[in-house]
Amino acid sequence: MDRKSAETRNAAEQPSWAASWKQSTGIRLALCVLFVLLFYLNLSPHLIPQTYNITLGEESGRDIVASKSLEDKIATAKAQELAAESVEPISSSLPLKPEAILNRVFNRIEVLNQDEGVSTSDKIEIYRGEIPSYYNEYIDEFVRTNSGKPDISEALLEEMSRVAKSQSYAVPAEVFYKLPALTPAQVAEMRQVAVNVARKLSADSIREAETSRAKVAELVNASSLTQRTTREVVQELARMSLMPNKFLDSAATEEARELARQNTTPVIIKEGGVIVKKGEVVTQEKLDMLAGAGLLGGQRSYWPQLGLLLTSLLFLLVLMVYLYQSGRIGGVKPRYNNMHLFMLWLILFLDLALMQATALAQSPAMPYIGYLAPAAVGTMLITLLLDKHLAIVSSFVFAIMGSIIFNHDVNLIFDFRYGFVICVVSFSAIFTVHRASQRSTILKAGIMASLFGAVTVLALLLLGDLPERQELLYSLGFAFVSGLITAVLVIGLMPFFELSFGILSALKLVELSNPNHPLLRKLLTETPGTYHHSVMVGNLSEAAAEAIGADGLLCRVGSYYHDIGKTKRPGYFIENQSGENPHDSIDPKLSKSIIVAHARDGVEMLKQHGIPKPLRDIAEQHHGTTSLKFFYFKAVKQAEAEGIEPDFTEDEFRYPGPKAQSKEAAIVGIADCVEAAVRSLRSPTMENVESMIQKIIKSRLDDGQFNECDLTLKELDKIGQTLKEAVIGIFHSRIEYPEEVKSKEKLA
């Protein structure tokens, strides 16, 4: 598969929306609104004074119960609409056959190409005028043929015609110039391939034809067609014939929604049930249901709401300013995308929900229950999944929020005793867990939070009037248990965040680096040479990554798995060969295909074993689109020896890519080359090791392999220097130092 085909495949596997939403400004603004709502709604019950009205259109000041059972028509209507809205839009598939268009095209080509009375230029004009119209003509004919059938509505046919025609494909003009030169044998072979490709792709439900068209090149290149011209023509004609086959059925959707409305059970307020809840707006329908019940009214002030809104905006500002200031790499690329922001929002939501749940059990008689809240859950999760410094900033937000939520003094807004305890336990948990390499560290962090929380509560109690013994014991006990609950919750929640958001935490990386992992055991037993090479690459890449502030652990574990694809054909890779090299007896193009396939094979194996995407990316990207020059020049020499002109280019002897998208993938790629190159040196010296490393980095830089990641020239220099030092440390006994070289020369 050539590089263009691979890029098409990658684009098909990763839809643009999946990547664009993470950087979308609109999504980011929506998340900011969610943050404000989260703060506002959590603080509103504790800060906004409640007032009630007894007039129409205002809020009720008390619960009003029903004296007999009756239907709540408003609630019933809302339930019906909710039921209707819950019905997903129904889509219907239609038996569209793109192969019919292709057969018509190839029939026309067969007949016209055999007509010697028509000149080539006239044939080109005929093809240019007729072939593009076959697509719309087929759609119109399908509408005419199926119009009036009971199983296909006119609205569906109209929707099909509109959508299908809007997704028509414009065949490039150069294709029509190639058609007159096609022989009957070529046309027959092309027809078979094109029809098979169209049938295979149209067998699935297609909403967007462009998605299926993106897969055409890969299928055609894997077909029996060997000539470039016939492949290109088949690709374009197949793309032209493909069309969506699944469309929104508005009639069926509306019918299903109406059925959902009819099947909705009426909402009945039973005798003794609440008709108007405290604070609910009283409508005319409610007044009719109340049947003369009295109403309570009063004026309402909106200044507290404004104050709370400003407070919520300030909380948001604190978080966003920190994220902007510390979360930009080199002042250019944002470190935190919308996925990270949503995960941060979700962590805040969970932590505040735990506080609110604890506050429900709190009362003025037992205020110390507030110490039971596992407030450090949020800061520990942020530390493990995002960033330690962000966790520190968040701990202040949690502390202020907690001091409001757990406050029971109507004369105060904040009770800073709870805020101070939350700060202390959060800090103790952060600095215990931020370098966690085992899940048992989370338990240790919970124990530290328990101890520091109990000590902090004891200090606060001793500063005021000494409470009774029971209150003292309860306060200390709740503070201590809080840390243990925190550890249990974090251990339970970590896998959820890791799987849901694709976060590769340090804990997960350490687990994946275990030599007993099935893939690493497979690598060791089946390809010991590759295993040793991967371990060496891991040591080199980790040192280089840490030197520039990248994720060294990710580089090391990624290196362990980066060549796992070699286990499919171990004998074709030099580190696993002990005798004859099989590449000496096969075609260079086949050798190239085998070598480049290990990256793709590795990604598939990693997917099958559920290895997270960052590690799969390293396996896929560590070679980028680099060239296999050895096999290219070998192929050129063979062509020269046979006296034929090469029918290939150097680009066909490149890895399919993509290029490294992250610093870590680029570093592993450099370390991979460096380790292999050093191992190939018979008598390595410091000078030729340094020269070799510089040459590898410069070669990749000149080839544009770092264009899609954020490595700077300064960082590349640092990587080169670090790799030199690491290589000297690892291969110490093999590398000759300048003094040793001089001594040997003197002895000689």
Side-chain angles (χ1 to χ4, degrees):
M1 181 185 297
D2 59 19
R3 183 170 44 166
K4 183 176 180 181
S5 300
E7 290 172 353
T8 303
R9 174 177 57 82
N10 291 334
E13 290 179 354
Q14 293 185 344
S16 59
W17 62 264
S20 63
W21 82 269
K22 295 182 180 180
Q23 304 297 338
S24 169
T25 302
I27 297 294
R28 188 159 301 178
L29 291 175
L31 287 171
C32 289
V33 173
L34 285 178
F35 275 103
V36 173
L37 288 175
L38 178 66
F39 298 137
Y40 187 95
L41 295 177
N42 273 276
L43 296 180
S44 178
H46 306 278
L47 296 178
I48 303 299
Q50 299 294 323
T51 59
Y52 305 96
N53 303 303
I54 59 172
T55 57
L56 179 64
E58 300 296 340
E59 295 181 355
S60 170
R62 59 188 178 90
D63 289 341
I64 303 176
V65 298
S67 58
K68 61 179 181 179
S69 297
L70 68 162
E71 180 183 353
D72 188 341
K73 295 183 179 180
I74 298 176
T76 299
K78 288 182 179 179
Q80 290 175 340
E81 289 308 311
L82 286 174
E85 291 174 3
S86 66
V87 175
E88 295 291 335
I90 297 176
S91 296
S92 299
S93 297
L94 293 177
L96 297 170
K97 298 182 182 297
E99 60 266 28
I101 300 176
L102 289 172
N103 283 321
R104 184 179 179 187
V105 171
F106 285 108
N107 288 338
R108 184 58 172 150
I109 295 173
E110 281 183 347
V111 173
L112 189 59
N113 280 6
Q114 294 177 10
D115 191 347
E116 298 180 355
V118 182
S119 65
T120 299
S121 60
D122 289 338
K123 291 178 180 178
I124 293 171
E125 291 303 317
I126 291 172
Y127 290 137
R128 190 201 302 270
E130 291 185 6
I131 290 178
S133 65
Y134 290 171
Y135 181 91
N136 287 346
E137 290 175 5
Y138 174 79
I139 295 172
D140 294 338
E141 178 61 25
F142 185 90
V143 171
R144 285 193 297 272
T145 303
N146 292 275
S147 180
K149 290 186 177 180
D151 56 333
I152 302 178
S153 66
E154 295 297 325
L156 180 58
L157 288 173
E158 183 178 351
E159 176 72 6
M160 181 277 293
S161 178
R162 182 188 66 80
V163 173
K165 288 183 178 181
S166 69
Q167 297 185 26
S168 61
Y169 180 80
V171 178
E174 59 266 20
V175 172
F176 303 116
Y177 288 87
K178 299 174 183 178
L179 298 181
L182 297 175
T183 65
Q186 287 176 322
V187 172
E189 184 180 13
M190 291 165 62
R191 181 201 295 264
Q192 182 178 2
V193 172
V195 169
N196 288 339
V197 168
R199 283 176 178 168
K200 184 173 183 179
L201 293 176
S202 61
D204 299 325
S205 295
I206 302 175
R207 293 183 180 274
E208 294 293 333
E210 195 60 33
T211 303
S212 297
R213 288 167 183 157
K215 302 175 184 178
V216 168
E218 182 179 358
L219 295 177
V220 173
N221 289 336
S223 70
S224 60
L225 296 176
T226 58
Q227 296 181 3
R228 180 178 178 181
T229 299
T230 57
R231 289 201 305 267
E232 291 175 349
V233 171
V234 167
Q235 288 178 19
E236 297 302 329
L237 293 179
R239 288 172 180 148
M240 184 269 290
S241 70
L242 289 172
M243 63 188 72
N245 57 24
K246 194 166 187 178
F247 309 90
L248 176 65
D249 194 339
S250 57
T253 302
E254 186 55 35
E255 182 180 349
R257 288 176 175 171
E258 184 59 32
L259 183 62
R261 292 189 187 97
Q262 295 175 4
N263 292 335
T264 301
T265 304
V267 179
I268 302 297
I269 301 177
K270 297 182 180 180
E271 182 178 354
V274 177
I275 300 175
V276 181
K277 294 181 180 180
K278 185 177 180 179
E280 182 181 353
V281 175
V282 178
T283 63
Q284 186 61 49
E285 291 81 2
K286 290 290 184 179
L287 287 174
D288 295 337
M289 292 173 63
L290 291 174
L295 300 174
L296 175 68
Q299 290 297 111
R300 185 180 184 89
S301 174
Y302 291 97
W303 292 114
Q305 284 90 335
L306 178 59
L308 180 54
L309 178 61
L310 292 176
T311 303
S312 302
L313 289 171
L314 288 174
F315 281 138
L316 173 67
L317 184 64
V318 168
L319 292 175
M320 291 304 160
V321 167
Y322 170 79
L323 291 173
Y324 183 84
Q325 292 294 332
S326 66
R328 300 187 75 81
I329 302 173
V332 178
K333 187 175 181 179
R335 176 182 175 188
Y336 299 108
N337 56 39
N338 292 336
M339 183 195 71
H340 297 118
L341 291 179
F342 179 67
M343 182 167 61
L344 176 62
W345 182 89
L346 189 57
I347 292 172
L348 292 173
F349 175 84
L350 289 172
D351 201 279
L352 292 174
L354 290 171
M355 289 188 191
Q356 295 285 8
T358 308
L360 292 176
Q362 191 186 24
S363 66
M366 294 187 295
Y368 43 79
I369 291 180
Y371 296 130
L372 185 62
V377 167
T379 50
M380 287 179 67
L381 287 173
I382 294 171
T383 304
L384 292 168
L385 299 170
L386 292 170
D387 177 58
K388 177 185 73 174
H389 302 290
L390 177 58
I392 293 174
V393 174
S394 300
S395 67
F396 287 107
V397 175
F398 288 135
I400 298 173
M401 297 279 289
S403 65
I404 297 174
I405 292 172
F406 297 117
N407 175 44
H408 271 272
D409 189 341
V410 296
N411 298 314
L412 298 174
I413 295 178
F414 305 98
D415 188 338
F416 283 105
R417 293 176 299 173
Y418 297 100
F420 182 62
V421 172
I422 291 174
C423 266
V424 172
V425 297
S426 296
F427 277 38
S428 63
I430 290 170
F431 290 107
T432 306
V433 83
H434 82 282
R435 290 188 179 275
S437 59
Q438 297 179 353
R439 298 202 182 266
S440 60
T441 309
I442 298 176
L443 182 58
K444 295 177 183 178
I447 294 173
M448 293 298 294
S450 296
L451 294 174
F452 277 93
V455 171
T456 305
V457 170
L458 178 61
L460 291 173
L461 293 175
L462 294 176
L463 286 174
D465 295 332
L466 193 64
E468 295 181 0
R469 182 179 179 181
Q470 183 179 2
E471 182 179 348
L472 177 63
L473 292 177
Y474 273 124
S475 298
L476 295 177
F478 285 150
F480 188 86
V481 172
S482 171
L484 301 180
I485 296 175
T486 297
V488 172
L489 289 174
V490 172
I491 292 173
L493 290 170
M494 277 291 291
F496 165 76
F497 282 97
E498 289 173 341
L499 292 174
S500 300
F501 292 92
I503 297 296
L504 195 56
S505 66
L507 299 174
K508 185 67 174 179
L509 282 171
V510 172
E511 290 177 358
L512 292 173
S513 67
N514 190 330
N516 288 323
H517 190 281
L519 283 180
L520 294 184
R521 290 179 63 188
K522 179 181 178 69
L523 190 69
L524 175 60
T525 57
E526 298 181 10
T527 56
T530 300
Y531 179 83
H532 180 264
H533 160 73
S534 299
V535 172
M536 293 296 102
V537 172
N539 294 334
L540 294 174
S541 61
E542 182 178 29
E546 291 180 348
I548 64 168
D551 193 336
L553 182 58
L554 175 59
C555 284
R556 176 159 64 87
V557 180
S559 299
Y560 291 167
Y561 291 93
H562 81 289
D563 275 342
I564 193 67
K566 291 183 178 180
T567 58
K568 284 202 170 183
R569 305 172 188 86
Y572 286 89
F573 299 91
I574 191 168
E575 67 266 23
N576 302 312
Q577 296 171 1
S578 57
E580 181 180 354
N581 188 342
H583 291 289
D584 295 338
S585 57
I586 63 177
D587 185 77
K589 293 182 180 178
L590 179 58
S591 295
K592 180 268 297 184
S593 299
I594 293 173
I595 296 299
V596 302
H598 85 271
R600 181 180 66 252
D601 293 338
V603 172
E604 293 301 321
M605 293 175 67
L606 294 175
K607 279 184 179 179
Q608 292 172 4
H609 284 76
I611 301 299
K613 190 174 185 302
L615 295 179
R616 301 202 307 266
D617 289 343
I618 290 177
E620 185 178 31
Q621 301 167 13
H622 72 280
H623 282 298
T625 58
T626 54
S627 174
L628 285 81
K629 294 185 178 180
F630 174 82
F631 295 111
Y632 169 68
F633 289 124
K634 182 179 178 181
V636 171
K637 288 183 180 179
Q638 283 189 2
E640 292 176 351
E642 296 173 3
I644 60 176
E645 188 71 22
D647 61 347
F648 52 84
T649 65
E650 185 177 356
D651 281 348
E652 296 179 33
F653 282 79
R654 286 182 175 270
Y655 280 92
K659 297 177 181 179
Q661 304 294 303
S662 64
K663 290 183 179 181
E664 289 76 15
I667 292 171
V668 172
I670 296 171
D672 182 42
C673 286
V674 168
E675 195 282 333
V678 170
R679 185 162 29 86
S680 67
L681 295 175
R682 294 183 178 179
S683 301
T685 65
M686 291 183 64
E687 289 79 6
N688 59 22
V689 166
E690 182 175 9
S691 174
M692 176 201 64
I693 293 174
Q694 292 176 350
K695 182 179 179 181
I696 289 172
I697 294 177
K698 185 177 185 302
S699 174
R700 290 201 165 209
L701 181 63
D702 293 342
D703 196 28
Q705 297 301 316
F706 305 132
N707 289 354
E708 298 179 17
C709 64
D710 45 28
L711 280 175
T712 64
L713 293 176
K714 183 178 180 181
E715 288 174 335
L716 286 173
D717 289 339
K718 187 68 175 177
I719 290 171
Q721 179 65 25
T722 305
L723 286 176
K724 185 190 78 170
E725 296 171 357
V727 166
I728 292 172
I730 295 174
F731 299 94
H732 180 81
S733 59
R734 290 187 55 204
I735 297 177
E736 298 179 352
Y737 287 80
E739 294 77 6
E740 294 176 342
V741 175
K742 292 178 181 179
S743 299
K744 289 181 180 180
E745 290 176 351
K746 289 180 180 180
L747 290 173

